[in-house]
Amino acid sequence: MHVWRAVCEHYIVSGVVVCWCAVWLYILTTRRACTSKARLDGKTVIITGSNSGIGKATALDLASRGARVIMACRNVDRALQVRKHIADKTRNNNIIVKSIDLSDMLSVRQFAEDINRTEPRLDVLIHNAGVLIPEKLTTDQGLNTIFATNHFGPFLFTHLLMGLLKRTGKSRIIFVSSSAHSIGKLDLSNPNPKKDASTSRLLFSWNMYCSSKLACVLCARELARRLEGSGVTANCLHPGYVYTSILCNPCPNTVAEHVFTFLFPLIMTKRQGAQTTIHLAVSEELERVSGKYFSNCMEKTPGNVTGDVELAGKYWRLCEAIVGLNSTFPQHSEC
C-alpha cells in the first residue's frame, strides 16, 4: 500500500513538473520584444513612474534612442539616482526629473502648467505610474487613492497637455493598463468608490486596482475616438506579469515570495515588461494606429465593457466632473 502510494505521488509530482516546464518553454518561445530600431532624436517623451520597474526600463530604452526623457515621479530623490544611471549608461544627458503626485490633482495641474510653459513639444506621453495599496484608501482631496493615481490623475494630465500634443503633431499617448481590467467593474452611480465595511482592505484595494485599469482602457478608447483626425493617437496595453512593487506591495514579503516562486515561469523581467510600451512608443507601423489594446507587442481584444461607446461617453463626463474639468475636450465631430 505504501509502495503504491509512493509510486502515485512520484508520478503526480513528475507530471506537474513536466507540465510546468512545458508551460515555461511555451511562454519563453512565444514572448515577443520590440524590434523597431527607430531613433527619437529631437523628440520629447514624458514617462510617469519612471524611477523604478517598467517605467525605468522604458526610460532607459527611449533615452538610448536619443529622446529627451522627462521622468515624472513622486519620489524625486530616487528618480535622480535613476536619472544618473540612465545618463551614464546611454550617454544621453537630456534627461529631466520633475516632481508629480498623480493622486493629487493640484500637483497634476502644476506639473502640466510647468510642461506647457517650458516644453516646445511633446511627442510621447506614457502613463506608466500605478499603485495597488491597502494603506491609504482616500486622498486629502477625497478621491479614491488607487483611482486617483491610476486613472483620474492621468485623465486630467492628458487633458491639460492636449494642446501641446496636438501642436507637436503625430504625438502618441500610451496608457499602461493590465489584463486585470477584464474583471473590473465601474458603477456610474459611484464613480469615486469608497470602502464599505463589508469588504476587507486588501480585497477592496484589489477590486479598485482592477476597476481603475478598466477605467483606463475604457477612457483610452474614448480618447482615441475624440482625437480622430487630429494626428494624435491613444492606445493602451497590458505589460505582462512583472515582479515589481505593485505585485508585492499589498502582501507580506513571505506571501509575495511564495507567489513569485510558484508563478516564476510567468514572471517577466522589467525589461521584458517594458517591451510593449516601447513598441507603442517607437514602432513606425503604429503611427496612425489608435484606440487599440496591446499585449506582448501585438494587438489584442480587450475584455469587459471596453467596447461600449455609450458607457464610455457617460463615464468620461463623470471623470471630467471629478477632476474639475468643464467638458472642454472637443467632441468627436469637432476634432
Side-chain angles (χ1 to χ4, degrees):
M1 186 68 180
H2 292 296
V3 173
W4 280 108
R5 181 176 179 181
V7 170
C8 290
E9 289 177 349
H10 170 76
Y11 280 110
I12 290 173
V13 171
S14 298
V16 169
V17 171
V18 169
C19 290
W20 204 228
C21 288
V23 170
W24 193 356
L25 181 62
Y26 173 78
I27 291 171
L28 290 177
T29 55
T30 57
R31 189 168 287 169
R32 297 165 63 94
C34 176
T35 58
S36 173
K37 304 300 182 184
R39 297 285 302 175
L40 296 178
D41 302 282
K43 295 189 175 183
T44 299
V45 179
I46 293 178
I47 310 173
T48 64
S50 47
N51 60 351
S52 65
I54 298 171
K56 176 183 174 181
T58 303
L60 177 62
D61 183 279
L62 301 188
S64 72
R65 297 171 186 264
R68 172 180 171 81
V69 177
I70 299 175
M71 299 174 62
C73 305
R74 185 172 56 181
N75 188 334
V76 173
D77 291 338
R78 173 74 178 275
L80 288 171
Q81 295 174 9
V82 172
R83 183 230 174 263
K84 184 180 185 306
H85 167 75
I86 293 175
D88 290 343
K89 194 163 185 177
T90 64
R91 297 186 179 182
N92 179 355
N93 287 313
N94 202 6
I95 303 170
I96 312 299
V97 172
K98 290 181 179 287
S99 174
I100 185 173
D101 181 353
L102 285 167
S103 69
D104 181 348
M105 299 306 109
L106 178 59
S107 175
V108 172
R109 289 181 179 276
Q110 290 173 339
F111 187 98
E113 182 181 354
D114 177 42
I115 294 297
N116 283 321
R117 185 180 66 252
T118 60
E119 298 297 328
R121 64 183 299 127
L122 178 55
D123 298 271
V124 185
L125 173 59
I126 301 176
H127 293 296
N128 167 80
V131 296
L132 171 53
I133 51 173
E135 290 87 11
K136 185 179 181 183
L137 299 179
T138 306
T139 70
D140 294 338
Q141 296 166 336
L143 297 176
N144 178 293
T145 301
I146 296 173
F147 258 85
T149 305
N150 296 357
H151 175 62
F152 295 141
F155 181 87
L156 175 60
F157 196 22
T158 302
H159 276 65
L160 298 177
L161 295 180
M162 190 52 62
L164 180 59
L165 288 160
K166 287 184 175 181
R167 287 194 301 274
T168 302
K170 296 183 179 179
S171 296
R172 305 185 186 193
I173 306 169
I174 301 166
F175 296 87
V176 178
S177 182
S178 168
S179 62
H181 80 272
S182 61
I183 57 174
K185 295 180 181 179
L186 294 177
D187 183 357
L188 297 187
S189 66
N190 184 27
N192 179 33
K194 300 294 194 300
K195 183 183 178 305
D196 60 83
S198 62
T199 307
S200 70
R201 293 171 70 88
L202 187 59
L203 179 59
F204 178 78
S205 295
W206 172 244
N207 289 339
M208 291 303 97
Y209 177 79
C210 297
S211 298
S212 67
K213 291 303 183 180
L214 171 59
C216 173
V217 177
L218 190 70
C219 284
R221 303 190 86 186
E222 174 67 7
L223 175 61
R225 188 183 73 84
R226 292 172 179 246
L227 285 172
E228 194 172 297
S230 69
V232 181
T233 63
N235 293 292
C236 54
L237 66 104
H238 167 57
Y241 302 104
V242 184
Y243 190 66
T244 66
S245 57
I246 276 197
L247 179 62
C248 58
N249 266 350
C251 307
N253 288 337
T254 52
V255 174
E257 288 169 3
H258 287 312
V259 171
F260 176 70
T261 300
F262 181 73
L263 296 178
F264 180 72
L266 306 177
I267 302 297
M268 294 180 174
T269 65
K270 297 171 181 64
R271 182 177 179 277
Q272 290 170 333
Q275 292 305 303
T276 304
T277 304
I278 297 166
H279 174 64
L280 288 176
V282 305
S283 294
E284 299 91 334
E285 67 268 24
L286 299 181
E287 185 177 288
R288 293 183 177 85
V289 174
S290 190
K292 304 301 182 181
Y293 176 81
F294 288 78
S295 177
N296 198 27
C297 295
M298 297 183 293
E299 184 180 333
K300 302 286 186 179
T301 301
N304 215 313
V305 294
T306 52
D308 190 331
V309 176
E310 183 179 357
L311 173 65
K314 290 179 179 178
Y315 187 68
W316 181 280
R317 289 187 290 275
L318 288 172
C319 292
E320 285 182 325
I322 288 171
V323 301
L325 293 170
N326 296 312
S327 299
T328 55
F329 200 91
Q331 297 296 313
H332 173 62
S333 59
E334 298 173 322
C335 289

